[in-house]
Amino acid sequence: MVGSPTFGGDSLPTPPDRIVIDVATVNGSGCPAGSAAVAVSPDNTAFTVTYSSYLAQVGVGSKPTDFRKNCQLDLRVHVPQGFTYAIASADYRGFAHLENGASGVERANYYFQGDSGTTYRSHRFDGPTDDNWQATDSVDVAALVWAPCGEERNFNINTELRVSAGTSDQAHTTSFMTMDSTDGSINTVYHLAWKQCP
Protein backbone atom coordinates (compact mmCIF):
# COMPACT_ATOMS: atom_id res chain seq x y z
CA MET A 1 0.00 0.00 0.00
CA VAL A 2 1.03 3.60 -0.46
CA GLY A 3 2.47 5.66 2.36
CA SER A 4 0.85 8.64 4.00
CA PRO A 5 -0.46 11.13 1.41
CA THR A 6 1.64 14.26 1.11
CA PHE A 7 0.38 17.72 0.24
CA GLY A 8 2.77 20.54 -0.61
CA GLY A 9 5.69 18.53 0.76
CA ASP A 10 4.21 18.10 4.25
CA SER A 11 3.40 14.59 5.34
CA LEU A 12 0.19 14.47 7.30
CA PRO A 13 0.31 12.47 10.56
CA THR A 14 -0.85 8.88 10.69
CA PRO A 15 -2.49 7.69 13.91
CA PRO A 16 -0.46 5.20 15.95
CA ASP A 17 -3.38 2.83 16.55
CA ARG A 18 -5.30 0.85 13.98
CA ILE A 19 -8.46 2.27 12.55
CA VAL A 20 -11.37 -0.10 12.24
CA ILE A 21 -13.94 0.24 9.49
CA ASP A 22 -17.26 -1.56 9.88
CA VAL A 23 -19.74 -1.71 7.04
CA ALA A 24 -23.05 -0.54 8.50
CA THR A 25 -25.07 -1.00 5.30
CA VAL A 26 -24.43 -1.70 1.64
CA ASN A 27 -27.29 -0.80 -0.69
CA GLY A 28 -27.71 -0.61 -4.42
CA SER A 29 -28.16 -2.51 -7.64
CA GLY A 30 -24.37 -2.64 -8.10
CA CYS A 31 -23.62 -4.27 -4.76
CA PRO A 32 -26.16 -6.93 -3.80
CA ALA A 33 -25.80 -8.46 -0.33
CA GLY A 34 -22.43 -10.11 0.23
CA SER A 35 -20.81 -8.72 -2.94
CA ALA A 36 -18.76 -5.83 -1.46
CA ALA A 37 -15.87 -6.27 1.00
CA VAL A 38 -13.86 -3.61 2.86
CA ALA A 39 -10.25 -3.99 4.08
CA VAL A 40 -8.01 -1.43 5.88
CA SER A 41 -4.31 -1.14 5.02
CA PRO A 42 -1.83 -2.00 7.83
CA ASP A 43 -0.47 1.59 7.87
CA ASN A 44 -3.95 3.17 8.27
CA THR A 45 -3.53 5.36 5.18
CA ALA A 46 -6.02 3.61 2.91
CA PHE A 47 -8.93 1.24 2.72
CA THR A 48 -9.99 -0.93 -0.19
CA VAL A 49 -13.44 -1.95 -1.37
CA THR A 50 -13.71 -5.04 -3.57
CA TYR A 51 -16.85 -5.63 -5.62
CA SER A 52 -17.92 -8.89 -7.24
CA SER A 53 -21.26 -7.99 -8.93
CA TYR A 54 -20.93 -4.36 -10.08
CA LEU A 55 -21.90 -4.38 -13.80
CA ALA A 56 -23.79 -1.87 -15.99
CA GLN A 57 -24.63 -2.79 -19.57
CA VAL A 58 -26.76 -2.05 -22.63
CA GLY A 59 -27.56 -4.08 -25.73
CA VAL A 60 -27.95 -7.81 -26.30
CA GLY A 61 -28.78 -9.74 -23.12
CA SER A 62 -29.41 -6.68 -20.94
CA LYS A 63 -32.57 -5.56 -19.17
CA PRO A 64 -33.83 -1.96 -19.52
CA THR A 65 -32.64 -1.12 -15.97
CA ASP A 66 -29.12 -2.54 -16.50
CA PHE A 67 -27.72 0.67 -18.05
CA ARG A 68 -27.20 2.19 -14.57
CA LYS A 69 -25.93 0.50 -11.42
CA ASN A 70 -25.13 2.17 -8.12
CA CYS A 71 -23.82 1.35 -4.67
CA GLN A 72 -24.02 3.24 -1.38
CA LEU A 73 -21.59 2.21 1.34
CA ASP A 74 -22.44 3.39 4.84
CA LEU A 75 -19.25 2.94 6.88
CA ARG A 76 -18.58 3.23 10.62
CA VAL A 77 -15.01 4.45 10.96
CA HIS A 78 -13.55 3.98 14.45
CA VAL A 79 -10.74 6.53 14.72
CA PRO A 80 -7.97 6.52 17.37
CA GLN A 81 -8.41 9.10 20.15
CA GLY A 82 -7.30 12.59 19.19
CA PHE A 83 -7.42 12.13 15.43
CA THR A 84 -9.82 12.89 12.63
CA TYR A 85 -9.71 11.97 8.96
CA ALA A 86 -10.83 12.96 5.48
CA ILE A 87 -10.80 11.21 2.12
CA ALA A 88 -7.82 12.64 0.21
CA SER A 89 -8.25 10.63 -2.97
CA ALA A 90 -10.00 7.60 -4.38
CA ASP A 91 -8.83 5.21 -7.10
CA TYR A 92 -11.48 3.32 -9.05
CA ARG A 93 -10.72 0.40 -11.33
CA GLY A 94 -12.70 -1.93 -13.52
CA PHE A 95 -13.13 -3.25 -17.04
CA ALA A 96 -14.99 -1.67 -19.95
CA HIS A 97 -16.17 -3.11 -23.25
CA LEU A 98 -17.72 -0.21 -25.14
CA GLU A 99 -18.75 -0.52 -28.78
CA ASN A 100 -18.05 2.27 -31.26
CA GLY A 101 -20.48 5.10 -30.44
CA ALA A 102 -21.19 3.88 -26.89
CA SER A 103 -19.93 5.54 -23.71
CA GLY A 104 -19.70 4.91 -19.99
CA VAL A 105 -19.48 7.05 -16.86
CA GLU A 106 -18.15 6.34 -13.37
CA ARG A 107 -19.13 8.88 -10.72
CA ALA A 108 -18.97 9.17 -6.95
CA ASN A 109 -19.72 11.45 -4.03
CA TYR A 110 -18.75 11.36 -0.36
CA TYR A 111 -20.31 12.79 2.79
CA PHE A 112 -20.53 12.38 6.55
CA GLN A 113 -23.83 11.41 8.17
CA GLY A 114 -25.86 14.56 8.86
CA ASP A 115 -23.97 16.67 6.31
CA SER A 116 -25.14 17.52 2.83
CA GLY A 117 -23.54 15.48 0.08
CA THR A 118 -20.53 16.72 -1.83
CA THR A 119 -20.76 17.39 -5.54
CA TYR A 120 -20.37 14.36 -7.76
CA ARG A 121 -17.07 13.71 -9.49
CA SER A 122 -17.47 12.03 -12.88
CA HIS A 123 -15.19 10.24 -15.33
CA ARG A 124 -16.34 9.48 -18.88
CA PHE A 125 -15.07 6.72 -21.16
CA ASP A 126 -15.83 6.55 -24.90
CA GLY A 127 -15.96 3.51 -27.16
CA PRO A 128 -14.59 1.67 -28.88
CA THR A 129 -12.62 0.17 -26.02
CA ASP A 130 -12.11 -3.29 -24.57
CA ASP A 131 -9.72 -2.77 -21.69
CA ASN A 132 -9.22 -2.11 -17.99
CA TRP A 133 -10.11 1.41 -16.89
CA GLN A 134 -8.95 3.53 -13.95
CA ALA A 135 -10.17 6.85 -12.56
CA THR A 136 -8.88 8.92 -9.63
CA ASP A 137 -10.71 11.55 -7.60
CA SER A 138 -8.26 13.86 -5.81
CA VAL A 139 -9.14 16.52 -3.25
CA ASP A 140 -7.00 19.60 -2.70
CA VAL A 141 -5.90 19.78 0.92
CA ALA A 142 -7.76 23.09 1.39
CA ALA A 143 -10.99 21.44 0.26
CA LEU A 144 -10.78 18.32 2.45
CA VAL A 145 -13.95 17.64 4.43
CA TRP A 146 -12.90 16.43 7.88
CA ALA A 147 -14.93 14.23 10.19
CA PRO A 148 -16.01 16.25 13.28
CA CYS A 149 -13.51 15.82 16.14
CA GLY A 150 -14.80 13.76 19.06
CA GLU A 151 -17.89 12.58 17.18
CA GLU A 152 -18.46 9.26 15.53
CA ARG A 153 -20.41 9.82 12.35
CA ASN A 154 -20.96 7.28 9.64
CA PHE A 155 -19.21 8.00 6.36
CA ASN A 156 -21.16 7.52 3.13
CA ILE A 157 -19.75 6.76 -0.30
CA ASN A 158 -22.09 6.74 -3.30
CA THR A 159 -20.77 5.32 -6.57
CA GLU A 160 -22.46 4.81 -9.91
CA LEU A 161 -21.70 3.19 -13.26
CA ARG A 162 -23.76 4.23 -16.29
CA VAL A 163 -23.49 2.96 -19.87
CA SER A 164 -25.10 4.65 -22.89
CA ALA A 165 -25.53 2.88 -26.24
CA GLY A 166 -25.22 6.18 -28.10
CA THR A 167 -24.95 5.45 -31.82
CA SER A 168 -23.83 1.83 -31.32
CA ASP A 169 -25.94 -1.05 -32.66
CA GLN A 170 -27.52 -2.32 -29.45
CA ALA A 171 -29.67 -4.84 -31.34
CA HIS A 172 -26.54 -6.84 -32.18
CA THR A 173 -23.88 -5.75 -29.66
CA THR A 174 -23.42 -5.36 -25.90
CA SER A 175 -21.52 -2.56 -24.17
CA PHE A 176 -20.69 -2.83 -20.48
CA MET A 177 -18.61 -1.45 -17.61
CA THR A 178 -17.70 -3.27 -14.43
CA MET A 179 -16.27 -2.18 -11.12
CA ASP A 180 -15.31 -5.76 -10.35
CA SER A 181 -13.45 -8.75 -11.69
CA THR A 182 -14.07 -12.46 -12.10
CA ASP A 183 -11.29 -13.14 -9.59
CA GLY A 184 -12.21 -10.28 -7.27
CA SER A 185 -8.88 -8.51 -7.81
CA ILE A 186 -10.27 -5.23 -9.12
CA ASN A 187 -10.34 -2.85 -6.19
CA THR A 188 -11.40 0.63 -5.29
CA VAL A 189 -8.85 2.25 -2.97
CA TYR A 190 -9.63 5.25 -0.76
CA HIS A 191 -6.62 7.17 0.58
CA LEU A 192 -7.02 8.85 3.97
CA ALA A 193 -5.56 12.12 5.21
CA TRP A 194 -5.18 12.53 8.98
CA LYS A 195 -4.94 15.49 11.33
CA GLN A 196 -4.73 15.74 15.09
CA CYS A 197 -7.73 17.22 16.86
CA PRO A 198 -7.20 20.41 18.90
Side-chain angles (χ1 to χ4, degrees):
M1 283 287 178
V2 296
S4 186
T6 57
F7 300 94
D10 295 327
S11 182
L12 296 173
T14 302
D17 299 324
R18 269 189 76 76
I19 58 167
V20 178
I21 297 178
D22 295 328
V23 179
T25 58
V26 178
N27 286 310
S29 53
C31 52
S35 70
V38 179
V40 181
S41 69
D43 64 0
N44 294 337
T45 63
F47 64 93
T48 301
V49 183
T50 305
Y51 299 98
S52 59
S53 299
Y54 209 149
L55 166 74
Q57 63 179 354
V58 292
V60 177
S62 63
K63 299 191 286 284
T65 55
D66 286 347
F67 78 98
R68 177 187 175 274
K69 292 295 172 80
N70 76 296
C71 184
Q72 174 163 326
L73 295 173
D74 183 8
L75 304 174
R76 285 192 204 98
V77 183
H78 306 282
V79 180
Q81 188 76 28
F83 278 84
T84 184
Y85 72 98
I87 297 295
S89 66
D91 300 320
Y92 296 93
R93 295 181 182 86
F95 187 85
H97 174 85
L98 300 171
E99 295 288 333
N100 191 30
S103 63
V105 171
E106 176 275 324
R107 72 177 197 157
N109 80 330
Y110 319 90
Y111 61 95
F112 291 99
Q113 178 184 4
D115 293 343
S116 58
T118 60
T119 56
Y120 274 93
R121 294 171 182 262
S122 297
H123 303 274
R124 180 184 163 115
F125 303 88
D126 292 310
T129 185
D130 187 50
D131 203 355
N132 294 316
W133 62 268
Q134 178 171 343
T136 299
D137 294 344
S138 294
V139 181
D140 186 86
V141 69
L144 288 173
V145 179
W146 298 94
C149 279
E151 291 182 38
E152 197 154 289
R153 285 201 202 170
N154 286 15
F155 184 65
N156 292 275
I157 301 168
N158 281 312
T159 57
E160 178 181 316
L161 289 180
R162 191 185 290 253
V163 177
S164 170
T167 58
S168 67
D169 178 6
Q170 58 181 325
H172 297 97
T173 64
T174 303
S175 292
F176 66 87
M177 275 184 78
T178 69
M179 194 142 40
D180 74 349
S181 145
T182 51
D183 61 6
S185 64
I186 301 293
N187 298 329
T188 300
V189 181
Y190 296 90
H191 303 278
L192 301 174
W194 295 95
K195 73 175 181 181
Q196 287 173 301
C197 290

